[in-house]
Amino acid sequence: MALSPEPPTKEIVTPQAADILLVGDSIAAGWPRKMLESVFPGQRIGKIAVSGERVQQTRWKLDSNRFDHLAPRIVILVVGTNNLGKNPPCAISEAVLEVVADIEKRWKPERVLVFGILPRGAGGEFQRAARLEINAALNKGLGGRAALRFIDLDDKMSCAPCAPFRPDNTHLTTDGYRILTDAVR
């Protein structure tokens, strides 16, 4: 069951240039620029990420060709959480892998970092089985190719002392973004 591209519900500001490009949902959109600059000093960091984005909207953005001029060296993809409970796990993982293939074809980046869907909900239990199934399929589908890196932070985001989530149990605190940044590092 393929997920057809659909337009985003919010306007996206098109970056003029980006060596490092974040693509995806509110987790990508909220990532503090200073943290990314600490990993990629002197690099131009762009974002084409909006709150509420689902994989279909990410595909539509890429298909729109509005961002073809960017040619980033590294792409960080964070998408899929907003599809949980709305689409079957196999359709979500297939759509994310299609986005990765499109990113590789469109920009030919040196590296694509694909984050697994993070835990969410009370105790990280919202759609847990589906999320784990999707992450396993993404890990397998990326096939260990050198230019692709799957980042699964399930164990690190489940730690109580670091308080990675805001009270909504979906969006990240500064500690949560530190975990993501360390994984990129």
Side-chain angles (χ1 to χ4, degrees):
M1 170 187 223
L3 299 180
S4 299
E6 60 185 57
T9 58
K10 298 177 184 172
E11 184 59 31
I12 304 152
V13 176
T14 303
Q16 294 300 310
D19 300 310
I20 314 302
L21 184 65
L22 274 79
V23 178
D25 56 30
S26 59
I27 304 297
W31 204 318
R33 185 171 299 277
K34 287 188 184 292
M35 287 187 185
L36 291 165
E37 288 170 347
S38 73
V39 178
F40 303 108
Q43 301 294 306
R44 297 169 299 178
I45 297 170
K47 294 181 184 181
I48 54 171
V50 294
S51 178
E53 182 142 307
R54 292 175 292 139
V55 183
Q56 301 94 306
Q57 294 157 327
T58 302
R59 290 182 59 208
W60 187 90
K61 280 190 308 196
L62 296 177
D63 287 348
S64 76
N65 300 321
R66 284 180 49 194
F67 309 101
D68 287 356
H69 68 282
L70 294 176
R73 289 183 319 98
I74 298 172
V75 176
I76 301 170
L77 180 64
V78 184
V79 70
T81 194
N82 295 313
N83 290 87
L84 288 174
K86 296 177 181 129
N87 303 108
C90 59
I92 298 169
S93 56
E94 180 182 317
V96 172
L97 291 170
E98 288 172 0
V99 167
V100 171
D102 189 3
I103 286 169
E104 287 185 294
K105 180 181 171 187
R106 186 173 305 276
W107 293 313
K108 297 171 184 49
E110 295 169 14
R111 184 166 296 260
V112 180
L113 308 177
V114 180
F115 276 86
I117 299 174
L118 301 174
R120 62 183 277 198
E125 291 300 316
F126 177 76
Q127 294 288 319
R128 184 177 195 280
R131 183 176 54 76
L132 294 175
E133 180 181 336
I134 294 162
N135 288 349
L138 291 176
N139 190 28
K140 181 179 180 184
L142 294 173
R145 297 191 322 245
L148 302 176
R149 182 169 157 224
F150 178 72
I151 301 173
D152 184 356
L153 296 176
D154 210 62
D155 58 337
K156 291 186 173 136
M157 295 305 282
S158 299
C159 65
C162 65
F165 293 101
R166 292 183 185 169
D168 68 2
N169 291 309
T170 299
H171 295 94
L172 303 181
T173 62
T174 301
D175 287 337
Y177 278 111
R178 279 191 194 105
I179 293 169
L180 268 65
T181 303
D182 287 344
V184 169
R185 194 178 318 273

